[in-house]
Amino acid sequence: MPPSPIASPPPARERTRQLRRVALSGLLGTAVEFYDFLVYGTVAALVFGDLFFPGTDPAVATIAAFGAFAAGYVARPLGGVVFGHFGDRLGRKSMLLLTMGLMGGASFLIGLLPTYDTIGVWAPVLLITLRVVQGVAIGGEWGGATLMVVEHAGERRRGLWSSFTQMGAPLGSLLSSLVVTLVVALPRDQFTAWGWRVPFLLGVVLLGVGLFVRLKVVESPLFAAVRKDRAEARLPVLDVLRRPRPLLLACGVGIGAFTAQSLLTSYLIAYATGIGYTRPQVLTALTVSACVALVVLPAASALSDRAGRRPVVLAGAVACAALAFPVLALVDSRSPGLLILAVVLGHGIAQSVMYGPLGALLTEMFGTRVRYTGASLGYQGATLVGAGFSPMIAGSLVAAHGGSGTPVALLLCGGAAITALTLLFLRETHTDPLTEPAPAGHRAPAKEDVPS
């Protein structure tokens, strides 16, 4: 006997259920990404210079530890190419399972690494190798997770739904700050001996939850239509590079957000502790900022559905540049309360307003056939330039200027200026149908992006 109509949920209800599941999957995937990367950034600032790069000046050791931090970012574009290619050819879901597994697995192995005192030069070599694996995995994670949400969301409220993926950043930051706060409360010798490993090892719990949710996600309906028509791009990266303007604009528009994210989280720990703040005080500021960002991100993303992506991102860039020197002045006050205010203003609000709409914006800039590759390369190119080298450059400039935070403020202003200038060359995309994309920066759709 055939099932009654009541037994099967209406298609609209099923689509809504899948959209919520995809949004949760994107949230957890990005949370794993940022948890692992920010745990590394935090621990690198605290002890990795001594554990993996000993025998050098403390400032040089810190710069070397952040050099390993940058290695993960250098590998990201490679991940964007590799996972973008197979994501555009074979499907989004399988690539997202693989990227999450690689990311969490590499982080877990970092928690098991012997230090320089145990195996000598192989310790930093293995550390950098695992950072590269993390970078490759993350190179394919964000683009796939975001476009899965946007492609499931359809034409309405794409910004709001994509904000779930963006919210994984402060959620990962919040979780990493809470875990690290607990372990830094250990006596210094215990934290150096084994406590620093705990945050890396605990990440496997978040990984398990994320994989469980992601296994239940269905393939993107837009990609399924491309697959049904056998219209997949043969070499997506060549199609993207053949008309590089959208890719370059995607890289440029994200630089401000990632410069601010990196300087006001990972680097801030080293800078603030260097001028007298305790580690718990800095981590408390980061925790409060992450809580604020969890509210600001969806608000800014939802606003971009109404006002447009460009004006919202521009407002964040202007706010970041305007607040750069006041934020550093508040940090330099050496007041724990003002430190919290500084991080909330700079990261929790200004950076979040810039970052929130990027998920929908970058996804809308590329056609379905090359969207995984294009969005991933654009995003990871921005992280490489904006976040990958910022802590190392900031550390070098601050050391060269006698500990002054002025170079940090100038870097924040520079990143925001690049984002603002890029927006001048971008057209608005929030009303574009995803099924007939017109890549931003072009007057007409690229031939390879027009659906068959």
Side-chain angles (χ1 to χ4, degrees), residues 76-370:
R76 283 183 171 207
L78 174 61
V81 172
V82 173
F83 290 106
H85 173 84
F86 290 106
D88 283 326
R89 292 282 300 166
L90 304 178
R92 290 40 167 141
K93 177 180 176 178
S94 57
M95 294 303 105
L96 289 176
L97 289 169
L98 184 55
T99 56
M100 182 180 280
L102 283 174
M103 181 67 203
S107 181
F108 183 78
L109 290 176
I110 289 177
L112 299 177
L113 274 183
T115 62
Y116 189 94
D117 288 342
T118 304
I119 60 171
V121 71
W122 283 106
V125 169
L126 291 173
L127 177 65
I128 293 172
T129 300
L130 289 174
R131 288 292 297 165
V132 170
V133 171
Q134 282 188 324
V136 170
I138 289 180
E141 167 62 34
W142 180 90
T146 301
L147 67 88
M148 275 282 278
V149 176
V150 174
E151 289 180 349
H152 273 86
E155 307 304 331
R156 297 183 59 192
R157 298 192 297 174
R158 296 192 299 241
L160 176 61
W161 281 108
S162 70
S163 71
F164 282 87
T165 303
Q166 306 297 77
M167 287 165 65
L171 178 59
S173 175
L174 178 61
L175 293 173
S176 67
S177 296
L178 289 173
V179 173
V180 174
T181 298
L182 293 176
V183 295
V184 297
L186 293 168
R188 176 71 182 183
D189 58 337
Q190 293 184 34
F191 176 73
T192 303
W194 58 268
W196 67 269
R197 300 180 184 274
V198 174
F200 292 101
L201 300 178
L202 286 179
V204 75
V205 177
L206 188 60
L207 171 64
V209 175
L211 288 175
F212 176 78
V213 173
R214 191 157 281 183
L215 282 168
K216 296 180 178 295
V217 168
V218 300
E219 185 57 84
S220 157
L222 294 183
F223 177 78
V226 169
R227 192 79 182 272
K228 181 180 179 181
D229 294 338
R230 298 184 178 180
E232 303 95 330
R234 185 170 300 175
L235 288 172
V237 67
L238 293 185
D239 289 348
V240 171
L241 294 177
R242 189 177 294 123
R243 289 180 172 86
R245 184 180 172 90
L247 176 61
L248 294 175
L249 292 175
C251 291
V253 77
I255 285 176
F258 292 114
T259 301
Q261 183 270 323
S262 186
L263 291 178
L264 295 176
T265 55
S266 297
Y267 179 72
L268 181 71
I269 298 169
Y271 179 80
T273 55
I275 63 173
Y277 289 99
T278 65
R279 289 172 291 180
Q281 287 172 341
V282 180
L283 294 174
T284 297
L286 294 177
T287 300
V288 174
S289 174
C291 292
V292 173
L294 285 171
V295 177
V296 176
L297 278 170
S301 301
L303 180 61
S304 76
D305 284 329
R306 294 179 174 272
R309 319 294 184 212
R310 296 173 70 246
V312 176
V313 175
L314 179 61
V318 171
C320 186
L323 289 170
F325 282 94
V327 161
L328 263 295
L330 291 172
V331 173
D332 287 340
S333 71
R334 293 171 172 78
S335 164
L338 294 180
L339 173 66
I340 293 175
L341 178 61
V343 183
V344 167
L345 290 174
H347 182 259
I349 297 177
Q351 191 272 347
S352 295
V353 172
M354 267 195 295
Y355 182 65
L358 286 183
L361 174 59
L362 269 61
T363 303
E364 292 161 351
M365 290 173 67
F366 300 92
T368 303
R369 297 173 66 246
V370 299

Side-chain angles (χ1 to χ4, degrees), residues 347-438:
H347 182 259
I349 297 177
Q351 191 272 347
S352 295
V353 172
M354 267 195 295
Y355 182 65
L358 286 183
L361 174 59
L362 269 61
T363 303
E364 292 161 351
M365 290 173 67
F366 300 92
T368 303
R369 297 173 66 246
V370 299
R371 185 169 290 134
Y372 202 141
T373 300
S376 295
L377 282 178
Y379 183 91
Q380 303 308 338
T383 64
L384 173 62
V385 177
F389 296 103
S390 294
M392 187 167 54
I393 294 172
S396 300
L397 292 176
V398 169
H401 288 79
S404 169
T406 299
V408 181
L410 291 174
L411 286 172
L412 287 170
C413 290
I418 292 173
T419 289
L421 289 173
T422 303
L423 288 169
L424 296 177
F425 299 93
L426 270 174
R427 60 176 186 77
E428 188 53 64
T429 61
H430 78 290
T431 59
D432 287 357
L434 292 180
T435 51
E436 295 184 21

Side-chain angles (χ1 to χ4, degrees), residues 22-77:
V22 169
L24 177 60
S25 166
L27 173 68
L28 292 173
T30 312
V32 170
E33 167 190 339
F34 274 84
Y35 174 87
D36 290 337
F37 253 67
L38 292 174
V39 160
Y40 180 91
T42 304
V43 176
L46 297 176
V47 295
F48 271 14
D50 295 332
L51 295 177
F52 290 91
F53 305 94
T56 59
D57 178 84
V60 175
T62 299
I63 293 170
F66 279 124
F69 181 76
Y73 282 98
V74 172
R76 283 183 171 207

